[in-house]
Amino acid sequence: MQSHGASALAPSGKACASATSPAAMAEKEAAVLAGRRVALFPLPFQGHLSPMLQLAALLRARGLAVAVLHTDFNAPDPARHHPDLAFVPIRETLPEEATSPDADIVAQLLALNAACEAPFRDALASLLPDVACAVVDGQWYAALGAAAQLGVPVLALRTDSAATFRSMLAYPRLRDAGYIPIDEQRLDEPVPELEPLRVRDLIRVDGCQPDALCGFIARVADAMCASASGVVVNTFAAIEASELDKIQAELSQPAFAVGPLHKLTPAAAAAEHDFRYQLYGPDCVAWLDAHPPRSVLYVSLGSVACIDRGVFDEMAWGLSISGVPFLWVVRPGSVRGGMPALPYGLDWSMGKIVPWAPQRDVLAHRATGGFWTHCGWNSTLESVCEGVPMLAQPCFGDQTVNARYVTQQWGVGLELGEVFDRSRAAEAVRRLMVGEECAAMRERAHGLKTRANQRVAAATRAIDNLVDYICSLSTAPC
Ligand code: UDP
């Protein structure tokens, strides 16, 4: 078993370049990688694209040639990235199920994997022999297999937490033990080997058949074990040391904890948002500037989640009744049945609603005192890194896992609960933003922020270890 310390892990049993002197190592890397590339393949959703493109920027800055293979669906805009990054469309043909907003996320992921396997293989093959290694999103199980079939060493990037990945690896055992499919009678039982998770915190997707979800998770775990030469996780030991240790104990391949990626690549991360930033950013920041420190609640449920009209109304009323100033992102398409009118009779004088906000800037703003969030992993990391306590309203997938860590493990947030009305929402908002409980959460959140920033100083080593490992995987003579 490996020690996870502050930086990434050296691969066991592998000849790791870090054993040599820095100058010799640099020379060796240059020789191995001259004219050779790392091919990245992100999943085409914002929460997955951002960390992969952040990793691309970091690898490029270490002197690697980076090609980003991507789908036409939700394609990244090369103009917003460093000119040295190559963007290669795989030219897929997608069935409606893969892109329809009405399909559940599992059906979408299964359809994307099926439709993109061959186009990805062809695009990767067209870059050979100039590919030292591929890094693909961990949910692209088909791409993991395709790269391995071509003889290209491949790493999986997990854009979720170590706890989520660990729970995915444990799924077959949970199924054998009767915890999966989720038994509604056992929701508050702790899940053995996955503490602090309860049965209710396990990954789930409403509307998706349990067998489909289990099948998807099994494919992800199988591809990881059968095809990947390692896993790269966007997390850090200060918040997930034990989860990282357990992952490493379970896998024979090395795990690299390279997070928080967004803190390592400010320029690249900002570039991804350019045009929306110009549209909405300055207005949001100016509005925040007019508020006292720690007075504003930021509200956003991420880039994918969709809520019912009734939930939207109770959120709106709860915010209004709480008396707390709020900046609320209501993304087009985020409320079922189309953009709703605001409930009649509400007092909006304290709030501002926008279709998009520069979230990282908002969380870093001195006026922001709390974050009502769906607990997507990027949002969770961004909030942790800025020391902002959270009101957790997980919607699907890994968000329940993250919410449990926010509220129970790190003590920097409150659970809103699965069913809530306006008065419960208003009360939760007030508890998050004022009073003794709030002060205690803010202190703990500040502690996590400090540790996250210390981690950033040490993070260079994690990326260096990853680059060493990529070199050691290269099939070129060293
Ligand atoms: N985001 C943003 N502005 C918005 C909404 C989202 O910048 O108005 C960014 C946010 O900072 C985060 C990402 O979109 O980096 C959402 O990723 P997350 O994993 O939190 O949730 P997902 O969208 O995948 O559910």
Side-chain angles (χ1 to χ4, degrees):
M1 190 169 123
Q2 319 244 350
S3 150
H4 278 272
S7 63
L9 309 171
S12 72
K14 306 262 179 196
C16 181
S18 57
T20 56
S21 74
M25 195 178 84
E27 208 174 293
K28 179 180 168 188
E29 279 174 13
V32 172
L33 292 160
R36 298 175 67 83
R37 293 182 188 152
V38 179
L40 308 187
F41 188 38
L43 198 70
F45 299 103
Q46 163 132 39
H48 294 256
L49 278 161
S50 297
M52 185 66 91
L53 291 168
Q54 288 155 7
L55 182 65
L58 288 164
L59 295 179
R60 188 205 61 75
R62 297 290 192 288
L64 304 192
V66 177
V68 178
L69 277 61
H70 62 85
T71 55
D72 287 324
F73 170 58
N74 284 345
D77 179 357
R80 286 190 227 134
H81 298 278
H82 195 284
D84 285 354
L85 290 184
F87 284 82
V88 182
I90 66 163
R91 298 287 179 232
E92 79 284 2
T93 305
L94 295 181
E96 201 190 322
E97 206 177 15
T99 55
S100 162
D102 298 328
D104 73 63
I105 189 74
V106 173
Q108 228 177 334
L109 290 171
L110 289 167
L112 277 167
N113 269 280
C116 294
E117 180 174 358
F120 168 76
R121 187 187 300 111
D122 293 347
L124 186 60
S126 74
L127 300 179
L128 296 179
D130 281 348
V131 178
C133 174
V135 183
V136 312
D137 191 289
Q139 313 288 50
W140 276 132
Y141 56 81
L144 278 166
Q149 278 164 18
L150 288 174
V152 177
V154 59
L155 307 176
L157 172 66
R158 297 302 318 181
T159 62
D160 43 21
S161 69
T164 294
F165 184 47
R166 182 184 152 210
S167 74
M168 290 174 97
L169 293 174
Y171 248 59
R173 297 191 292 281
L174 297 179
R175 198 170 193 171
D176 292 347
Y179 288 96
I180 306 277
I182 288 176
D183 179 349
E184 297 295 318
Q185 307 304 315
R186 303 170 75 181
L187 291 179
D188 289 315
E189 272 186 38
V191 183
E193 79 164 294
L194 293 182
E195 28 330 285
L197 300 186
R198 304 157 297 183
V199 171
R200 67 167 67 251
D201 305 315
L202 292 171
I203 297 171
R204 58 172 145 170
V205 177
D206 290 340
C208 165
Q209 290 301 319
D211 279 348
L213 178 59
C214 286
F216 170 73
I217 290 176
R219 285 175 196 215
V220 168
D222 289 349
M224 175 68 225
C225 296
S227 304
S229 298
V231 61
V232 182
V233 194
N234 186 16
T235 191
F236 52 104
I239 55 173
E240 294 207 289
S242 131
E243 289 70 19
L244 284 164
D245 281 343
K246 285 177 180 142
I247 285 173
Q248 190 61 85
E250 185 151 353
L251 293 178
S252 55
Q253 309 93 321
F256 296 86
V258 297
L261 281 169
H262 74 280
K263 275 289 182 186
L264 310 184
T265 53
E272 287 158 34
H273 297 148
D274 251 0
F275 84 101
R276 284 177 302 185
Y277 189 91
Q278 276 153 26
L279 272 179
Y280 307 110
D283 188 33
C284 288
V285 173
W287 186 84
L288 287 169
D289 285 344
H291 286 80
R294 301 281 195 172
S295 63
V296 172
L297 177 70
Y298 170 59
V299 188
S300 171
L301 301 182
S303 63
V304 182
C306 199
I307 55 174
D308 288 332
R309 172 67 206 246
V311 174
F312 173 85
D313 282 355
E314 293 311 305
M315 286 177 77
W317 277 108
L319 286 166
S320 165
I321 296 167
S322 74
V324 169
F326 61 89
L327 176 65
W328 186 7
V329 176
V330 182
R331 177 176 44 82
S334 63
V335 183
R336 280 186 200 96
M339 277 305 280
L342 292 170
Y344 180 74
L346 277 184
D347 174 10
W348 287 109
S349 57
M350 306 281 279
K352 180 174 179 65
I353 295 187
V354 288
W356 184 86
Q359 181 163 304
R360 289 173 53 188
D361 294 352
V362 170
L363 289 169
H365 197 284
R366 61 173 179 76
T368 303
F371 181 14
W372 181 339
T373 171
H374 69 312
C375 292
W377 183 239
N378 293 289
S379 295
T380 303
L381 274 182
E382 287 159 9
S383 209
V384 161
C385 289
E386 300 306 334
V388 177
M390 289 165 257
L391 180 58
Q393 185 191 344
C395 300
F396 66 86
D398 64 329
Q399 296 155 18
T400 43
V401 176
N402 303 334
R404 183 66 172 164
Y405 274 73
V406 165
T407 57
Q408 177 72 19
Q409 187 81 348
W410 308 323
V412 296
L414 299 173
E415 257 184 81
L416 187 54
E418 273 162 48
V419 184
F420 63 89
D421 61 12
R422 59 196 70 180
S423 56
R424 207 156 121 201
E427 192 201 332
V429 167
R430 283 193 291 259
R431 280 173 59 205
L432 185 79
M433 296 297 288
V434 289
E436 272 176 36
E437 204 176 358
C438 159
M441 275 187 290
R442 283 184 179 174
E443 202 178 315
R444 286 191 290 270
H446 182 73
L448 275 192
K449 175 184 175 175
T450 307
R451 284 193 274 157
N453 285 321
Q454 285 162 353
R455 160 69 202 166
V456 169
T460 315
R461 283 204 305 281
I463 300 292
D464 288 345
N465 284 350
L466 177 61
V467 171
D468 290 353
Y469 187 56
I470 288 172
C471 290
S472 80
L473 288 171
S474 171
T475 49
C478 300

